[in-house]
């Protein structure tokens, strides 16, 4: 019984470790440069609809912000 429990736990841990492979793109890229500090974000409004049957997520994110320092660089990146 102990062997079965240990094998089951080992299989579960192995599955969880290999389930998600995060890349650098999944994390915040870079530090807080001027282009990121020139905006004061007031509100994020995340609207999503999750459809488990179709295995899909549909939605949008409204961001309300004030410009603290004018800049010519576009720091908003759409993926």
């Amino acid at each position: 019984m102990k062997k079965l429990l240990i094998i089951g736990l080992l299989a579960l841990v192995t599955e969880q470790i290999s389930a998600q492979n995060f890349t650098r793109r999944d994390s915040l890229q870079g530090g807080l440069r001027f282009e990121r500090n020139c905006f004061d974000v007031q509100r994020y409004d995340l609207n999503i609809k999750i459809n488990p049957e179709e295995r899909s997520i549909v939605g949008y994110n409204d961001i309300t912000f004030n410009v603290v320092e004018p800049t010519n660089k576009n720091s908003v990146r759409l993926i």
Side-chain angles (χ1 to χ4, degrees):
M1 186 65 179
K2 273 187 172 181
K3 284 185 182 182
L4 185 59
L5 181 61
I6 291 172
I7 291 172
L9 287 174
L10 184 59
L12 182 63
V13 169
T14 303
E15 179 183 341
Q16 289 298 319
I17 290 173
S18 63
Q20 295 186 6
N21 296 319
F22 292 104
T23 65
R24 175 143 172 81
R25 189 175 181 101
D26 295 322
S27 64
L28 177 65
Q29 296 179 354
L32 290 176
R33 300 181 313 269
F34 170 76
E35 294 83 8
R36 290 185 177 173
N37 287 328
C38 60
F39 300 104
D40 181 17
V41 176
Q42 302 295 307
R43 180 173 161 241
Y44 291 102
D45 185 15
L46 182 61
N47 294 284
I48 61 171
K49 180 180 177 185
I50 301 172
N51 188 337
E53 290 80 29
E54 293 181 9
R55 298 182 60 139
S56 66
I57 300 174
V58 177
Y60 61 92
N61 184 17
D62 281 333
I63 303 173
T64 305
F65 61 90
N66 294 322
V67 177
V68 178
E69 292 275 340
T71 179
N72 292 331
K73 294 187 178 184
N74 182 7
S75 64
V76 178
R77 191 181 318 176
L78 300 175
I79 300 175

